[in-house]
Amino acid sequence: MINEDIYDISSGIRSDSERVAYLYSEVEKKHNRRFLFEPFRVLGQPDFLSRYSNGENPFPKSIEIDPTNFCNHDCPFCIYSSLHKPGHKERMKEDKLFEVISEAHTLGVESILFIGGGEPLGHSKTVDAIEYANGLGISVGLVTNGALMRTRDVGIIKKNATYVRFSIDSGTADTHKVMHQSNDFNRVISNLKLVASKPRKSTIGVSYFISEVNFHELSLAASLAKSAGADYIQFKTYAGIGISDNWYSLLLKEIEKVITFSGDSFDVHVMENVFNRGAFQSRDYSKCHWQGFKTIIGADGNMYLCTQKRGKADAVIGNIYENTLKEIWGSEQRERVVNSIILEKCPFCVHNTQNKLIEFLGVSGNTHTNFY
């Protein structure tokens, strides 16, 4: 029987992952851009939270646009890889792309992320769309593999994008070839250097998806990103699967090394699931709230319920070639799709924390609110 001994049993660091996580926490406190990937950032939208909690149906302040489903890379780990296969090379019509941005601005959208789907720069007008959106006062993000960036693109992106994140996922050309099925590593690094060079408006980052193929190159990638002039590198892995015991201890040693690159004007971010290896969730909220906070407009014109259900027929809430954004948001089709959500059948939710927080804020008459 354990009683007061629980104090001694539970105190201190009890595992290697916990030890490395504590080392990282000391690094994190000194980040130039703390909480860059923090779920609690939604608290920065108090008016929207209040309107939603009061039963209104406001159009999201932040949206994602997939300009195209074409991708010049073929990453085996990409959760949207089915959208790149033969027969799935959809590309948003140029006039519709700008029309959507204009209506989004009218509806009060404050930020747009150009992502995929496919590779955003695979659409010839994405960079012009970034410039157009910024001209309307909308904050713009771009996630790219970096290989298709043209010379003319660099100056426009640096001047107009709030942030640019390169998906690089390796520290050498050989591993890049395996991870991205492409032989353009040097071009990607060269483009990273061009976009990161000063002066620039944009925050420039690198994302690195950790797998059993590339976990040994974390420090090489961090060194490349830092020397290229990037502001940060973000290390992440699959959510909802967990990391195999076969290589996890080796990964922790690599994490311990790579966090030492953080300092001066460069940050190393390690996502929480690298340490907790979360493989399941218990969703103790009554419904998906996050679908009301962000929407995704696909290259095929379909609007989707959430980021993780891109390309899924049962997640289509409307189509921009048939209705306006405003009409879709208030449509019976969207209502049907939202009401059909069965939480336990959803994929591992990367917005689980936000869902819990939104539900808590929206519940009136919380019990014993004077105690905390």
Side-chain angles (χ1 to χ4, degrees):
M1 192 76 169
I2 297 174
N3 45 46
E4 291 180 4
D5 292 339
I6 192 66
Y7 176 87
D8 296 319
I9 294 170
S10 64
S11 295
I13 296 172
R14 293 163 291 151
S15 69
D16 208 28
S17 59
E18 197 173 355
R19 180 183 64 80
V20 179
Y22 269 106
L23 290 174
Y24 172 65
S25 71
E26 292 304 310
V27 169
E28 189 179 30
K29 293 169 189 174
K30 299 173 185 176
H31 277 165
N32 299 285
R33 294 166 179 81
R34 282 192 79 187
F35 309 121
L36 188 61
F37 303 101
E38 175 56 60
F40 294 148
R41 286 178 301 161
V42 69
L43 293 173
Q45 298 288 343
D47 292 340
F48 191 93
L49 281 163
S50 176
R51 291 180 63 193
Y52 177 85
S53 297
N54 288 330
E56 295 183 43
N57 185 33
F59 193 83
K61 295 287 186 183
S62 183
I63 66 174
E64 296 185 7
I65 295 178
D66 301 345
T68 180
N69 281 339
F70 161 79
C71 192
N72 54 312
H73 289 183
D74 189 19
C75 308
F77 58 89
C78 180
I79 62 173
Y80 306 124
S81 59
S82 64
L83 296 177
H84 314 151
K85 301 304 179 187
H88 290 278
K89 306 296 184 186
E90 296 89 352
R91 177 180 179 276
M92 194 176 293
K93 293 180 180 178
E94 293 176 7
D95 58 342
K96 183 56 69 172
L97 175 60
F98 291 93
E99 183 183 316
V100 163
I101 294 169
S102 178
E103 188 189 356
H105 174 250
T106 302
L107 291 172
V109 168
E110 296 175 351
S111 67
I112 296 175
L113 174 60
F114 291 92
I115 189 170
E119 163 53 42
L121 297 182
H123 192 299
S124 61
K125 292 298 179 180
T126 294
V127 174
D128 295 320
I130 289 171
E131 184 176 36
Y132 178 66
N134 179 62
L136 294 175
I138 298 172
S139 297
V140 183
L142 170 67
V143 173
T144 175
N145 62 44
L148 297 180
M149 202 170 284
R150 301 165 295 180
T151 302
R152 72 168 288 271
D153 298 339
V154 174
I156 298 173
I157 290 171
K158 289 166 62 172
K159 184 179 178 181
N160 292 278
T162 305
Y163 77 84
V164 182
R165 188 160 65 244
F166 282 66
S167 303
I168 293 183
D169 311 303
S170 59
T172 64
D174 286 343
T175 302
H176 174 76
K177 199 178 297 184
V178 176
M179 292 293 291
H180 282 232
Q181 302 292 299
S182 185
N183 195 25
D184 50 18
F185 183 71
N186 291 333
R187 186 190 315 151
V188 171
I189 300 302
S190 176
N191 286 337
L192 173 62
K193 291 177 180 177
L194 289 172
V195 175
S197 63
K198 306 286 177 67
R200 56 176 162 87
K201 166 187 174 178
S202 313
T203 299
I204 308 299
V206 169
S207 69
Y208 191 108
F209 177 86
I210 301 170
S211 76
E212 66 275 15
V213 174
N214 67 354
F215 73 88
H216 61 289
E217 293 187 357
L218 272 58
S219 292
L220 283 173
S223 178
L224 277 172
K226 189 171 185 175
S227 62
D231 298 304
Y232 69 87
I233 188 168
Q234 173 209 37
F235 293 104
K236 58 186 179 180
T237 191
Y238 277 126
I241 296 177
I243 301 171
S244 168
D245 290 335
N246 295 337
W247 53 279
Y248 187 59
S249 60
L250 297 173
L251 170 62
L252 289 175
K253 291 178 182 178
E254 295 300 321
I255 294 288
E256 190 170 353
K257 292 177 191 174
V258 78
I259 59 178
T260 64
F261 283 84
S262 201
D264 300 323
S265 58
F266 185 75
D267 296 334
V268 174
H269 293 267
V270 183
M271 298 298 96
E272 189 176 9
N273 68 340
V274 173
F275 295 118
N276 65 27
R277 304 167 74 185
F280 77 96
Q281 294 168 324
S282 175
R283 294 165 180 148
D284 52 357
Y285 35 91
S286 60
K287 62 180 181 179
C288 175
H289 299 286
W290 195 248
Q291 52 75 30
F293 283 69
K294 178 166 282 193
T295 194
I296 293 81
I297 304 171
D300 55 4
N302 284 329
M303 279 179 64
Y304 292 98
L305 186 71
C306 78
T307 59
Q308 292 170 279
K309 292 192 173 184
R310 273 183 173 87
K312 306 298 182 184
D314 62 351
V316 175
I317 61 174
N319 189 286
I320 58 172
Y321 294 108
E322 298 171 4
N323 296 99
T324 65
L325 300 180
K326 185 177 180 179
E327 289 170 345
I328 292 169
W329 203 249
S331 68
E332 291 182 2
Q333 180 175 342
R334 175 173 175 258
E335 185 177 7
R336 280 196 307 273
V337 173
V338 171
N339 290 337
S340 71
I341 298 172
I342 301 173
L343 293 177
E344 59 265 32
K345 292 186 178 182
C346 282
F348 193 92
C349 183
V350 296
H351 300 296
N352 190 55
T353 300
Q354 291 98 320
N355 273 316
K356 290 183 178 183
L357 178 63
I358 294 164
E359 179 131 330
F360 172 79
L361 294 173
V363 173
S364 59
N366 280 313
T367 307
H368 303 316
T369 53
N370 290 338
F371 293 86
Y372 49 88

